[in-house]
Amino acid sequence: FVEPMSATTHLRLVLRVASRAHHQRRPCRASLPSPASSPPFPTWEGLGQHRRHASAAQRDHASSSPFTVVSADALATRDIARALADVLTQGDVVLLRGDVGAGKTTLARAFVRRRLGDESAPVPSPTYLLQQVYDAATPIHHYDLYRLPTSGGDGDDGIGAARTSMLDLATSFRDAITLIEWPDRLDCATAFPAERFEVTIDGGDDEPEQDANDDASDDGEHDVRKLTLTAVGDGHAKRLREAVASMAESESAHEGALVVL
């Protein structure tokens, strides 16, 4: 004989099951891991004493463990971009995250020019066109999805999904080096490659980034930026270590404007 369950006991059981299901439910973006937590944003004063050069011997941690690099000015941010550009190849994808004005376009512009071998090449922001394609030895597809409507939103009527399908990301991922600003604007159904690079930029002001081929924001000083660089995938981790080692030997690093933490 089994004693009937009281209403209170039944309610507790239901709540317990619901709570467990809630904590086990994975959000649709869980397949796109964000960079692991990094040290608090540093002040520039006193960073020099913490400076150290990155090398494979110093970095034998997990493949997706992030590197933190601090940039004091736009020139240092360019050196970071150039070091990344030197190690990437066809099929590589870089997700660029950061607030408006953080410097994503500045980094992408320096990256593209490095791959083109022309420091004066016009590299407009693809904010309105969503995509710019560059005919380098390995093609570069630069996306800025800030103005991409998210499908299903109020007043969207499916426009976001239609525009996403027009991007043909699969071709970019296969045939080019792909830079994507505002990657989280993509629908959850859009899958990024399992192996990729991720760059998150913290710092800067709230001013919009340049929409055209305007280098004004690249030439002067900007606020201190903290960049978190993450490689997802074993092969990508090795190349990221090489890039960070190059950053630590750059002109900006020797001048004290770039610090690898």
Short mmCIF file of all heavy atoms in Angstrom, two decimals, residues 74-83 85 103-119 121 123 140 142 179 215 218:
data_model
loop_
_atom_site.label_atom_id
_atom_site.label_comp_id
_atom_site.label_asym_id
_atom_site.label_seq_id
_atom_site.Cartn_x
_atom_site.Cartn_y
_atom_site.Cartn_z
N ALA A 74 46.23 53.61 -30.63
CA ALA A 74 45.78 52.98 -31.87
C ALA A 74 46.92 52.24 -32.57
O ALA A 74 46.70 51.22 -33.23
CB ALA A 74 45.17 54.03 -32.80
N LEU A 75 48.14 52.75 -32.46
CA LEU A 75 49.27 52.09 -33.09
C LEU A 75 49.50 50.71 -32.48
O LEU A 75 49.81 49.75 -33.18
CB LEU A 75 50.53 52.95 -32.96
CG LEU A 75 50.50 54.29 -33.70
CD1 LEU A 75 51.79 55.07 -33.44
CD2 LEU A 75 50.29 54.08 -35.19
N ALA A 76 49.33 50.61 -31.17
CA ALA A 76 49.48 49.31 -30.51
C ALA A 76 48.37 48.36 -30.95
O ALA A 76 48.61 47.16 -31.16
CB ALA A 76 49.47 49.49 -28.99
N THR A 77 47.16 48.89 -31.10
CA THR A 77 46.06 48.05 -31.59
C THR A 77 46.36 47.54 -32.99
O THR A 77 46.06 46.39 -33.33
CB THR A 77 44.74 48.84 -31.57
OG1 THR A 77 44.45 49.22 -30.21
CG2 THR A 77 43.58 48.00 -32.09
N ARG A 78 46.96 48.37 -33.81
CA ARG A 78 47.35 47.93 -35.15
C ARG A 78 48.38 46.81 -35.09
O ARG A 78 48.32 45.85 -35.87
CB ARG A 78 47.94 49.10 -35.95
CG ARG A 78 46.95 50.16 -36.36
CD ARG A 78 47.64 51.13 -37.29
NE ARG A 78 46.98 52.42 -37.33
CZ ARG A 78 47.44 53.46 -38.00
NH1 ARG A 78 48.58 53.37 -38.64
NH2 ARG A 78 46.78 54.61 -38.01
N ASP A 79 49.34 46.93 -34.17
CA ASP A 79 50.35 45.88 -34.05
C ASP A 79 49.71 44.55 -33.64
O ASP A 79 50.15 43.48 -34.08
CB ASP A 79 51.41 46.28 -33.03
CG ASP A 79 52.44 47.26 -33.60
OD1 ASP A 79 52.54 47.35 -34.85
OD2 ASP A 79 53.12 47.94 -32.82
N ILE A 80 48.69 44.61 -32.82
CA ILE A 80 47.96 43.39 -32.45
C ILE A 80 47.31 42.77 -33.68
O ILE A 80 47.39 41.56 -33.92
CB ILE A 80 46.91 43.70 -31.37
CG1 ILE A 80 47.60 44.12 -30.07
CG2 ILE A 80 45.99 42.50 -31.13
CD1 ILE A 80 46.66 44.68 -29.02
N ALA A 81 46.67 43.62 -34.48
CA ALA A 81 46.00 43.14 -35.70
C ALA A 81 47.00 42.55 -36.68
O ALA A 81 46.74 41.50 -37.30
CB ALA A 81 45.25 44.30 -36.35
N ARG A 82 48.14 43.19 -36.83
CA ARG A 82 49.15 42.70 -37.78
C ARG A 82 49.69 41.35 -37.36
O ARG A 82 49.92 40.47 -38.20
CB ARG A 82 50.28 43.72 -37.90
CG ARG A 82 49.86 45.01 -38.59
CD ARG A 82 50.87 46.11 -38.35
NE ARG A 82 50.46 47.36 -38.97
CZ ARG A 82 50.90 48.56 -38.59
NH1 ARG A 82 51.75 48.66 -37.56
NH2 ARG A 82 50.49 49.65 -39.21
N ALA A 83 49.90 41.17 -36.05
CA ALA A 83 50.40 39.88 -35.57
C ALA A 83 49.39 38.77 -35.83
O ALA A 83 49.76 37.65 -36.21
CB ALA A 83 50.72 39.97 -34.08
N ALA A 85 47.14 38.84 -38.27
CA ALA A 85 47.07 38.67 -39.72
C ALA A 85 48.18 37.77 -40.23
O ALA A 85 48.01 37.05 -41.22
CB ALA A 85 47.14 40.03 -40.41
N GLY A 103 36.77 49.75 -30.95
CA GLY A 103 37.93 49.64 -31.83
C GLY A 103 37.95 48.40 -32.71
O GLY A 103 38.98 48.03 -33.25
N LYS A 104 36.80 47.76 -32.88
CA LYS A 104 36.74 46.56 -33.71
C LYS A 104 37.11 46.87 -35.16
O LYS A 104 37.86 46.13 -35.79
CB LYS A 104 35.34 45.94 -33.64
CG LYS A 104 34.92 45.50 -32.24
CD LYS A 104 33.54 44.88 -32.23
CE LYS A 104 32.44 45.84 -32.67
NZ LYS A 104 32.32 47.01 -31.77
N THR A 105 36.57 47.98 -35.69
CA THR A 105 36.84 48.33 -37.07
C THR A 105 38.30 48.76 -37.24
O THR A 105 38.92 48.47 -38.27
CB THR A 105 35.90 49.45 -37.54
OG1 THR A 105 34.55 48.97 -37.47
CG2 THR A 105 36.18 49.85 -38.98
N THR A 106 38.85 49.45 -36.26
CA THR A 106 40.26 49.83 -36.32
C THR A 106 41.13 48.59 -36.42
O THR A 106 42.07 48.52 -37.24
CB THR A 106 40.64 50.64 -35.06
OG1 THR A 106 39.93 51.86 -35.06
CG2 THR A 106 42.14 50.92 -35.02
N LEU A 107 40.83 47.58 -35.62
CA LEU A 107 41.60 46.33 -35.65
C LEU A 107 41.41 45.63 -36.99
O LEU A 107 42.38 45.15 -37.60
CB LEU A 107 41.19 45.45 -34.49
CG LEU A 107 42.03 44.19 -34.27
CD1 LEU A 107 42.21 43.90 -32.77
CD2 LEU A 107 41.40 42.98 -34.96
N ALA A 108 40.17 45.55 -37.47
CA ALA A 108 39.90 44.86 -38.73
C ALA A 108 40.58 45.57 -39.90
O ALA A 108 41.12 44.92 -40.81
CB ALA A 108 38.39 44.79 -38.96
N ARG A 109 40.58 46.91 -39.89
CA ARG A 109 41.21 47.66 -40.98
C ARG A 109 42.71 47.38 -41.04
O ARG A 109 43.27 47.16 -42.11
CB ARG A 109 40.95 49.16 -40.78
CG ARG A 109 41.55 50.05 -41.87
CD ARG A 109 41.17 51.50 -41.65
NE ARG A 109 39.75 51.69 -41.90
CZ ARG A 109 38.92 52.28 -41.05
NH1 ARG A 109 39.36 52.75 -39.90
NH2 ARG A 109 37.65 52.44 -41.37
N ALA A 110 43.37 47.38 -39.88
CA ALA A 110 44.80 47.09 -39.85
C ALA A 110 45.08 45.66 -40.29
O ALA A 110 46.08 45.38 -40.97
CB ALA A 110 45.35 47.33 -38.44
N PHE A 111 44.20 44.74 -39.91
CA PHE A 111 44.34 43.34 -40.32
C PHE A 111 44.28 43.22 -41.84
O PHE A 111 45.14 42.59 -42.46
CB PHE A 111 43.22 42.52 -39.68
CG PHE A 111 43.26 41.05 -39.98
CD1 PHE A 111 43.73 40.16 -39.03
CD2 PHE A 111 42.82 40.55 -41.20
CE1 PHE A 111 43.77 38.79 -39.31
CE2 PHE A 111 42.85 39.20 -41.48
CZ PHE A 111 43.33 38.31 -40.53
N VAL A 112 43.26 43.84 -42.45
CA VAL A 112 43.08 43.74 -43.90
C VAL A 112 44.27 44.34 -44.63
O VAL A 112 44.80 43.77 -45.60
CB VAL A 112 41.77 44.43 -44.32
CG1 VAL A 112 41.68 44.53 -45.84
CG2 VAL A 112 40.56 43.68 -43.77
N ARG A 113 44.72 45.50 -44.19
CA ARG A 113 45.85 46.15 -44.86
C ARG A 113 47.12 45.31 -44.76
O ARG A 113 47.93 45.29 -45.70
CB ARG A 113 46.07 47.54 -44.26
CG ARG A 113 45.00 48.54 -44.71
CD ARG A 113 45.16 49.88 -44.03
NE ARG A 113 44.24 50.86 -44.62
CZ ARG A 113 43.94 52.02 -44.08
NH1 ARG A 113 44.47 52.37 -42.90
NH2 ARG A 113 43.13 52.85 -44.68
N ARG A 114 47.30 44.66 -43.65
CA ARG A 114 48.45 43.78 -43.50
C ARG A 114 48.40 42.65 -44.52
O ARG A 114 49.40 42.32 -45.17
CB ARG A 114 48.49 43.21 -42.08
CG ARG A 114 49.67 42.28 -41.82
CD ARG A 114 50.97 43.04 -41.74
NE ARG A 114 52.02 42.27 -41.08
CZ ARG A 114 53.16 42.77 -40.67
NH1 ARG A 114 53.42 44.07 -40.87
NH2 ARG A 114 54.07 42.01 -40.08
N ARG A 115 47.25 42.05 -44.67
CA ARG A 115 47.11 40.93 -45.62
C ARG A 115 47.23 41.42 -47.06
O ARG A 115 47.71 40.69 -47.92
CB ARG A 115 45.77 40.23 -45.41
CG ARG A 115 45.60 39.56 -44.06
CD ARG A 115 46.49 38.37 -43.85
NE ARG A 115 46.34 37.34 -44.86
CZ ARG A 115 46.79 36.09 -44.73
NH1 ARG A 115 47.41 35.73 -43.61
NH2 ARG A 115 46.64 35.22 -45.69
N LEU A 116 46.79 42.64 -47.33
CA LEU A 116 46.89 43.20 -48.67
C LEU A 116 48.31 43.68 -48.98
O LEU A 116 48.67 43.88 -50.14
CB LEU A 116 45.92 44.37 -48.84
CG LEU A 116 44.43 44.03 -48.84
CD1 LEU A 116 43.61 45.32 -48.86
CD2 LEU A 116 44.06 43.16 -50.04
N GLY A 117 49.11 43.91 -47.94
CA GLY A 117 50.45 44.44 -48.14
C GLY A 117 50.44 45.89 -48.55
O GLY A 117 51.38 46.37 -49.21
N ASP A 118 49.41 46.63 -48.15
CA ASP A 118 49.27 48.03 -48.54
C ASP A 118 48.68 48.79 -47.36
O ASP A 118 47.48 48.70 -47.08
CB ASP A 118 48.37 48.15 -49.77
CG ASP A 118 48.22 49.58 -50.26
OD1 ASP A 118 48.75 50.50 -49.62
OD2 ASP A 118 47.56 49.77 -51.31
N GLU A 119 49.51 49.58 -46.68
CA GLU A 119 49.06 50.30 -45.49
C GLU A 119 48.16 51.47 -45.81
O GLU A 119 47.58 52.08 -44.90
CB GLU A 119 50.27 50.77 -44.68
CG GLU A 119 51.03 49.65 -44.00
CD GLU A 119 50.16 48.87 -43.02
OE1 GLU A 119 49.39 49.51 -42.27
OE2 GLU A 119 50.24 47.63 -43.01
N ALA A 121 45.70 51.15 -48.27
CA ALA A 121 44.54 50.61 -49.00
C ALA A 121 43.24 51.07 -48.36
O ALA A 121 43.12 51.12 -47.14
CB ALA A 121 44.60 49.09 -49.02
N VAL A 123 39.88 50.77 -46.75
CA VAL A 123 39.20 49.68 -46.05
C VAL A 123 38.00 50.28 -45.33
O VAL A 123 38.06 50.56 -44.13
CB VAL A 123 40.13 48.96 -45.05
CG1 VAL A 123 39.40 47.78 -44.39
CG2 VAL A 123 41.40 48.47 -45.74
N ILE A 140 39.69 37.97 -48.16
CA ILE A 140 39.26 38.36 -46.82
C ILE A 140 37.81 38.83 -46.91
O ILE A 140 37.49 39.70 -47.72
CB ILE A 140 40.13 39.50 -46.26
CG1 ILE A 140 41.60 39.09 -46.25
CG2 ILE A 140 39.67 39.87 -44.85
CD1 ILE A 140 42.54 40.23 -45.96
N HIS A 142 35.01 40.59 -44.72
CA HIS A 142 34.84 41.38 -43.50
C HIS A 142 33.36 41.70 -43.33
O HIS A 142 32.77 42.38 -44.17
CB HIS A 142 35.67 42.66 -43.59
CG HIS A 142 35.55 43.56 -42.41
ND1 HIS A 142 35.89 44.91 -42.46
CD2 HIS A 142 35.10 43.34 -41.14
CE1 HIS A 142 35.67 45.45 -41.27
NE2 HIS A 142 35.19 44.52 -40.46
N LEU A 179 36.34 37.87 -41.00
CA LEU A 179 36.27 38.72 -39.81
C LEU A 179 34.82 39.11 -39.60
O LEU A 179 34.17 39.60 -40.54
CB LEU A 179 37.11 39.99 -39.99
CG LEU A 179 38.56 39.82 -40.47
CD1 LEU A 179 39.21 41.20 -40.65
CD2 LEU A 179 39.36 38.97 -39.51
N ASP A 215 40.30 57.31 -41.54
CA ASP A 215 41.35 56.83 -40.65
C ASP A 215 41.57 57.74 -39.47
O ASP A 215 42.52 57.55 -38.71
CB ASP A 215 42.67 56.70 -41.42
CG ASP A 215 42.62 55.58 -42.45
OD1 ASP A 215 41.77 54.69 -42.29
OD2 ASP A 215 43.40 55.62 -43.41
N ASP A 218 42.09 56.12 -36.29
CA ASP A 218 43.23 55.21 -36.22
C ASP A 218 44.53 55.92 -35.90
O ASP A 218 45.50 55.29 -35.48
CB ASP A 218 43.41 54.48 -37.56
CG ASP A 218 42.26 53.53 -37.85
OD1 ASP A 218 41.43 53.34 -36.95
OD2 ASP A 218 42.20 53.01 -38.97
#
